[in-house]
Amino acid sequence: MNIDLTVNGKPVSIEAEPLDRLLDILRDKLELTGTKEGCGEGECGACTVFMNNKLVNSCLVPAMHLHNANVVTIDGLRDFDFFRFITKAYEENGAVQCGFCTPGFVMSTINLLRNSSEKNVGDEEIKDAFAGNICRCTGYDKIIKAVRQLLTMDIKVPERFYE
Amino acid sequence: MKEHSEVRVDAASKIAGIEKYTRDLRIKNALVAGTVRSSKAHARIESISYDDNFDWSKVTILSAKEIKNNFVAIIKNDMPYLAEKEVNYIGEPILLLAAENETILIEAKKHIKIKYEELAAAKTLKAAIDRNRAEDLFEEILLENGEPEKTFENADSIVEDIFETGFQEHVYLEPQVVVAIPDGNTIHIKGSMQCPYYVQNAMNELFKGSEIKVDVTQIMTGGAFGGKEDFPSLICGHVALLARKTGRSIILSYNREEDIRFTTKRHPSRIHAKAAVSSDGKILGLDMDILLDSGAYTTLSPVVLARAVLTSFGCYRIPNVRIHGKAIKTNISPCGAFRGFGGPQSLFAIEMLMEKVAKTLKIPVWEIKKANMLFLGDKLPTGQPIDYSYGLPQCVKKVLKSSEYEKKYDEFKKYNENESAKAGILKGIGISLAVHGCGFTGVGENRIKAIAEMELLNDGKVLVKTANTEMGQGVDTAYKIIVSEKLGLPFKDIIIEEKNTSKVPNSGPTVASRSTMIVGKLLLDNCEQILDALSLNDVEFSSQDFKEAAIEYFGKHDSLVVQKEYKHPKFIKFNEDTYKGYGYPVYSWSANVAEVEIDLTSYQVEVKKFYTAHDVGKAINKQQSEGQIQGGVIQGIGYAVYEALSMEDGEVQNRGFRDYIIPTIQDIPEMYVDIVEDAYFNGPYGAKALGELPFVGAAPAVASAVSFAIGKIARKIPLTPEVIATLIENSNYEY
């Protein structure tokens, strides 16, 4: 089937089977390899992307649901101004080790930042925001510190991307 | 050396998602590979048949018959790349397939029928022990010291129990993946791996006698933890063989289910430990029988067992010992390297034996541990004196202070007596002392003869050439710090060479927490060699002076490449027959306190707080060192509480993250990390091992806290709700 969708602000038209995964379409057809596959069953969050402005595990989204969808990946976000604050906070707090889960954590971070300010976000809310991301290297502590630091800053993250 | 907390050199590219992992490489015109596996734990292969109605023209099939040197070169070379006549575990590779896409592979597998004649199998460690066959013994080690027999005869009391630890899956976030790219008579292998030279060596053996040459490149690796130490040699052979046969590039990429079911695991253990104890709680003798369930092939089991034996006395002064270790073959997927490498199993046993001694003598456990802890200058049962770089006493001091262990010990006791029934929660606090022998066991380092190389470039930059791979632990950044500190160069002038076996010398595998201590020291030596050549040794110089000296050097010379080979200091000797001498050149130490709560309705153990102090000689990068400690502790908590790999009838039952539970962000305790730096004279700036130690002490601290909470010895991990329920409800549970 032919599917028209928008990926990182660009209209694309692709040929895919109905059950092809969004993850494979991004990585193999569109060469957007920033999004990773860790488990293929929606548990680890390494493949997290925005679809119609909501976080989804792209390994669980079949092509047949993609018609007219607006998909935004880490590859489409790294050049936004706010992204350098995220980079700085992750770097300074040592929130990265092997890095394979990191793009997924960054996507969840962006989602948290645009929906919150420090006032309503405690550690429990931070933990809730990353309940769908697994990291095996860091023990999470330094990721939480990076996110806490970001929440204290006045970072302007758009409500929606590429719309 | 000043304190460093440098930003990792690879952080920005990983955060932005532009770092290239193996599956991100775009390999042109590649076929995908798949594996046809045994469905029997032990059987003779009677026949393999291919459905005539299937179109086989699109599939390349490779069988054992086509492999001349059909063994994965490692220690005993007993594991074939593909089984030919006999299979020894469920999941053992029998055939390799290659096709244009995954869909064809899945279809093709349905049209292959393998007929077996089943043979007797030992699907559990117990079955293998009961069968008691000499050929199932992969390795046996006996370490004796003093007069163990007499000590046990004369002891005031003997305390004993059987301690058990389970399988553990590494759960590196990036599953196993390797590629082979044929190029004339050369095959380029690239992939996610720890040890490119292990793979190189295996490929040299595989293609010995043929015209094929192989080179191996490690690609940025998304976590490994030992899981990419020995295992990649097997699958690199698979892709290399397929590449040779098809003339096409081959990608072999395991999905999570295949990875969890068929790759190596941590060795389960069953350890019968006995202590001869004086009435005041002194451990006079230790007798241990260590059994490691090794799976169907030897892999690294002999060295895993060696570390288990040499870790079995923990951090204690025990004059009389008999430690008897066996690595035993079973018909399950082979076990392999995993962070800690045998240490976590025997350290769990000795720490829980201390719990049992305390309980038996009705003395608080910390009193027992304190009374038996090594003093500086004491000798281990191997005869090795602990007379340098012994920071454990400082670790203990720090962790007792940060955790307020002694105060909480009394508070929690009172809480459990008076309030727990009403609250439905039991509280526990536990303490563990942990040790990790730094680097290879025994004479391993002298055998491998690690070489590091450094090249001065004509623009005054240096090129660092080692085979030590970045898998998340931060080795590239640590090396830059070491070199930058010595040569006064900024990071940008220190270039880390690609980990390609045709470009870097064999500086040994990235294992055993050796990369900083051993290879980092070689790099420091390389720096000295370069400074010598530039006549800058023993003088103050700026980075500008260095640049100018380099330019001057290249005015007279064409190149400057320096090499250094590692050798232990002369007095570091080890006898592999008696297990006497220096098991390791030095040890890293930790003291750990865990606070837990157990919900009396769900029996779930929750680790609320974790305090640790680690003596690592020198934290080359403070922040990344903390990160290693935190990550290792959480992985150890997973080992202690959550990670139950279910093996039934010889087969892994878990299929992925749904049913193999590792700690998530919701499960982590508050963590307090202290670093102690009791320098090691032969490490770079005093550094010794770091990567594995955090894992080793975590599970015993948690199990100690659980034992406190329920008043019985938690002698088996993982402490899942089922195990906790049994412990609490079943009064006959104890040995």
Side-chain angles (χ1 to χ4, degrees):
Chain A
M1 62 191 281
N2 189 271
I3 302 159
D4 295 316
L5 72 162
T6 308
V7 178
N8 295 334
K10 292 188 193 97
V12 293
S13 182
I14 50 161
E15 196 55 46
E17 296 297 320
L19 290 178
D20 284 356
R21 307 181 306 169
L22 171 57
L23 174 62
D24 298 323
I25 291 169
L26 293 171
R27 288 181 50 86
D28 299 338
K29 290 197 196 305
L30 303 173
E31 305 279 322
L32 296 169
T33 55
T35 305
K36 309 296 180 198
E37 176 170 3
C39 71
E41 55 179 10
E43 294 284 343
C44 79
C47 69
T48 304
V49 301
F50 287 112
M51 180 174 148
N52 300 332
N53 220 31
K54 287 203 173 76
L55 283 188
V56 297
N57 289 309
S58 60
C59 71
L60 294 183
V61 179
M64 61 189 178
H65 290 166
L66 287 176
H67 200 61
N68 291 333
N70 180 28
V71 173
V72 180
T73 75
I74 187 105
D75 301 279
L77 293 172
R78 70 171 72 98
D79 293 330
F80 277 84
D81 262 358
F82 69 83
F83 201 91
R84 67 193 159 94
F85 297 108
I86 294 178
T87 304
K88 195 159 174 279
Y90 268 62
E91 282 187 338
E92 283 178 357
N93 289 281
V96 179
Q97 287 188 31
C98 92
F100 203 76
C101 72
T102 308
F105 272 90
V106 169
M107 295 301 286
S108 296
T109 303
I110 292 169
N111 192 46
L112 180 67
L113 287 178
R114 63 180 191 163
N115 292 321
S116 332
S117 70
E118 192 198 357
K119 293 174 198 73
N120 54 20
V121 179
D123 277 4
E124 284 315 303
E125 284 79 12
I126 294 177
K127 287 184 177 182
D128 283 346
F130 295 95
N133 295 91
I134 282 178
C135 168
R136 187 61 153 172
C137 297
T138 64
Y140 304 101
D141 188 73
K142 292 187 185 302
I143 297 173
I144 295 172
K145 287 207 172 72
V147 173
R148 262 198 228 128
Q149 179 182 319
L150 285 164
L151 287 165
T152 63
M153 299 159 72
D154 187 25
I155 300 167
K156 298 275 176 287
V157 179
E159 287 290 308
R160 315 178 80 81
F161 300 104
Y162 298 113
E163 280 185 22
Chain B
M1 181 170 115
K2 68 173 199 283
E3 185 177 312
H4 289 267
S5 270
E6 311 286 342
V7 169
R8 292 178 65 102
V9 294
D10 53 6
S13 59
K14 286 173 170 176
I15 294 162
I18 53 181
E19 186 66 53
K20 294 287 181 236
Y21 299 83
T22 304
R23 277 188 75 181
D24 303 333
L25 305 175
R26 304 286 102 173
I27 312 284
K28 286 196 193 82
N29 198 26
L31 297 170
V32 293
T35 314
V36 177
R37 299 174 182 279
S38 166
S39 60
K40 305 294 175 199
H42 189 205
R44 197 166 296 126
I45 299 171
E46 284 194 333
S47 66
I48 302 175
S49 57
Y50 304 90
D51 185 350
D52 288 337
N53 298 320
F54 185 76
D55 177 9
W56 292 102
S57 68
K58 290 179 182 145
V59 182
T60 299
I61 303 167
L62 196 143
S63 74
K65 288 192 181 67
E66 302 166 60
I67 310 172
K68 195 170 148 243
N69 307 320
N70 189 11
F71 59 88
V72 183
I74 183 155
I75 292 180
K76 285 197 182 161
N77 301 348
D78 58 346
M79 181 165 78
Y81 284 99
L82 294 173
E84 184 169 4
K85 294 181 177 127
E86 190 180 312
V87 287
N88 278 292
Y89 67 94
I90 292 174
E92 179 160 11
I94 296 173
L95 298 171
L96 295 169
L97 307 180
E100 297 292 340
N101 61 55
E102 202 78 33
T103 315
I104 301 174
L105 288 181
I106 293 168
E107 223 23 62
K109 282 184 191 175
K110 293 179 191 159
H111 293 86
I112 298 173
K113 287 246 165 352
I114 301 174
K115 269 187 149 174
Y116 303 92
E117 181 202 342
E118 283 203 61
L119 303 168
K123 295 174 187 173
T124 61
L125 183 58
K126 189 177 178 308
I129 295 163
D130 291 347
R131 197 159 73 167
N132 194 24
R133 301 189 315 180
E135 65 263 41
D136 291 341
L137 199 57
F138 285 145
E139 180 74 327
E140 183 170 17
I141 296 169
L142 181 65
L143 164 59
E144 283 185 300
N145 194 48
E147 297 178 307
E149 247 172 70
K150 219 168 119 192
T151 310
F152 275 89
E153 271 168 29
N154 301 332
D156 290 342
S157 55
I158 293 174
V159 178
E160 68 182 300
D161 211 333
I162 292 176
F163 303 99
E164 292 172 280
T165 62
F167 289 97
Q168 190 183 23
E169 162 56 31
H170 307 81
V171 193
Y172 29 70
L173 254 281
E174 176 201 32
Q176 301 277 352
V177 52
V178 294
V179 303
I181 303 162
D183 172 12
N185 282 339
T186 302
I187 296 173
H188 304 291
I189 288 180
K190 301 183 180 192
S192 181
M193 64 180 77
Q194 292 174 234
C195 314
Y197 270 97
Y198 276 5
V199 175
Q200 180 74 55
N201 180 48
M203 296 307 101
N204 292 350
E205 293 292 324
L206 172 60
F207 292 113
K208 196 178 250 175
S210 83
E211 72 292 355
I212 299 287
K213 296 273 173 278
V214 174
D215 78 346
V216 183
T217 308
Q218 180 253 359
I219 305 299
M220 181 56 79
T221 295
F225 313 110
K228 294 169 183 172
E229 175 175 348
D230 44 312
F231 191 80
S233 296
L234 173 73
I235 51 177
C236 286
H238 289 168
V239 289
L241 288 161
L242 282 169
R244 184 178 66 166
K245 178 157 182 171
T246 60
R248 300 266 301 270
S249 292
I250 304 288
I251 302 175
L252 180 58
S253 164
Y254 281 11
N255 62 28
R256 183 59 62 183
E257 181 178 326
E258 202 170 13
D259 200 294
I260 202 165
R261 292 175 71 190
F262 305 124
T263 66
T264 51
K265 308 279 173 276
R266 184 185 299 286
H267 294 69
S269 72
R270 179 185 157 87
I271 299 178
H272 187 172
K274 258 195 275 191
V277 191
S278 70
S279 56
D280 61 348
K282 284 265 162 47
I283 312 293
L284 304 173
L286 175 67
D287 184 293
M288 254 199 212
D289 278 298
I290 301 171
L291 302 174
L292 295 183
D293 183 348
S294 304
Y297 295 106
T298 311
T299 70
L300 295 164
S301 293
V303 252
V304 173
L305 182 68
R307 193 178 277 277
V309 165
L310 290 168
T311 309
S312 63
F313 22 84
C315 305
Y316 306 109
R317 176 183 353 100
I318 308 175
N320 304 288
V321 307
R322 178 196 154 275
I323 315 290
H324 186 202
K326 287 181 179 177
I328 295 173
K329 173 178 172 164
T330 53
N331 291 104
I332 58 161
S333 187
C335 289
F338 196 152
R339 193 181 208 166
F341 207 74
Q345 290 91 327
S346 62
L347 197 94
F348 176 75
I350 184 72
E351 286 298 279
M352 299 321 288
L353 182 63
M354 291 300 194
E355 296 283 334
K356 181 105 182 195
V357 168
K359 196 169 160 53
T360 309
L361 301 187
K362 299 189 169 57
I363 297 173
V365 66
W366 174 234
E367 297 298 321
I368 297 286
K369 291 188 177 183
K370 195 163 56 178
N372 290 286
M373 200 175 106
L374 289 162
F375 280 113
L376 184 69
D378 279 345
K379 280 185 177 162
L380 298 177
T382 51
Q384 175 175 1
I386 298 299
D387 51 5
Y388 54 81
S389 194
Y390 180 55
L392 183 61
Q394 270 177 280
C395 293
V396 165
K397 214 168 143 191
K398 279 192 188 288
V399 88
L400 288 177
K401 188 166 175 231
S402 68
S403 67
E404 299 183 290
Y405 172 85
E406 282 154 315
K407 183 172 141 235
K408 285 178 188 162
Y409 187 90
D410 294 333
E411 281 175 12
F412 285 18
K413 275 257 174 325
K414 283 198 191 100
Y415 176 93
N416 285 348
E417 277 161 24
N418 304 325
E419 293 170 58
S420 68
K422 206 173 118 205
I425 284 170
L426 287 171
K427 285 189 179 185
I429 187 160
I431 188 163
S432 76
L433 303 179
V435 55
H436 184 80
C438 307
F440 274 138
T441 301
V443 294
E445 207 61 64
N446 283 347
R447 198 171 280 150
I448 209 123
K449 297 183 178 20
I451 293 171
E453 188 175 299
M454 202 178 284
E455 182 173 352
L456 181 68
L457 305 175
N458 59 15
D459 55 0
K461 294 179 180 173
V462 293
L463 186 59
V464 174
K465 297 183 225 179
T466 78
N468 294 92
T469 53
E470 180 59 68
M471 47 184 160
Q473 84 283 39
V475 71
D476 286 352
T477 310
Y479 285 173
K480 285 204 178 197
I481 291 172
I482 289 168
V483 174
S484 155
E485 183 78 19
K486 186 76 188 169
L487 298 183
L489 295 176
F491 273 18
K492 67 175 176 50
D493 289 349
I494 301 160
I495 302 159
I496 307 282
E497 179 60 281
E498 184 179 50
K499 315 304 164 55
N500 171 327
T501 51
S502 63
K503 294 181 180 167
V504 296
N506 187 357
S507 56
T510 308
V511 304
S513 311
R514 65 183 286 282
S515 302
T516 297
M517 181 178 87
I518 301 283
V519 184
K521 177 61 165 50
L522 291 178
L523 292 178
L524 211 49
D525 295 341
N526 285 158
C527 290
E528 299 241 349
Q529 292 170 305
I530 284 185
L531 292 178
D532 272 342
L534 300 184
S535 306
L536 286 175
N537 246 341
D538 307 319
V539 294
E540 291 269 315
F541 63 91
S542 67
S543 59
Q544 192 52 37
D545 297 336
F546 185 89
K547 281 249 138 85
E548 281 166 17
I551 289 163
E552 199 185 313
Y553 182 92
F554 279 100
K556 295 176 208 145
H557 307 84
D558 292 335
S559 71
L560 178 56
V561 180
V562 296
Q563 272 201 346
K564 179 80 187 202
E565 181 181 309
Y566 182 82
K567 259 197 207 89
H568 275 323
K570 278 217 169 66
F571 67 90
I572 293 177
K573 288 184 186 135
F574 185 70
N575 184 326
E576 284 179 316
D577 299 321
T578 60
Y579 265 64
K580 291 295 171 67
Y582 283 72
Y584 302 91
V586 64
Y587 296 81
S588 288
W589 310 91
S590 80
N592 311 276
V593 168
E595 287 178 32
V596 304
E597 286 184 10
I598 301 174
D599 184 313
L600 284 168
T601 314
S602 66
Y603 295 121
Q604 180 66 53
V605 176
E606 201 182 330
V607 183
K608 304 297 282 185
K609 291 182 181 170
F610 199 96
Y611 308 84
T612 185
H614 273 56
D615 168 27
V616 299
K618 172 79 197 171
I620 296 292
N621 188 343
K622 195 77 184 294
Q623 185 187 63
Q624 285 298 310
S625 301
E626 276 174 19
Q628 280 289 295
I629 293 170
Q630 292 173 331
V633 163
I634 297 303
Q635 203 171 41
I637 289 173
Y639 185 48
V641 176
Y642 298 103
E643 299 184 29
L645 191 102
S646 162
M647 188 73 77
E648 273 175 39
D649 211 19
E651 189 169 10
V652 175
Q653 300 300 304
N654 312 60
R655 291 292 178 268
F657 292 173
R658 281 160 300 164
D659 51 10
Y660 185 77
I661 307 302
I662 69 166
T664 71
I665 202 165
Q666 313 267 19
D667 304 316
I668 61 166
E670 278 178 48
M671 273 185 279
Y672 302 86
V673 176
D674 273 309
I675 292 179
V676 167
E677 297 180 326
D678 194 329
Y680 168 45
F681 69 90
N682 201 35
Y685 307 106
K688 48 186 183 177
L690 164 59
E692 291 166 280
L693 179 63
F695 183 90
V696 184
V702 172
S704 167
V706 168
S707 304
F708 176 109
I710 61 185
K712 292 179 187 172
I713 306 300
R715 56 165 208 84
K716 180 180 176 183
I717 50 171
L719 292 158
T720 57
E722 293 81 355
V723 175
I724 296 291
T726 317
L727 271 171
I728 292 179
E729 306 295 345
N730 183 355
S731 55
N732 298 324
Y733 179 76
E734 285 189 69
Y735 174 77

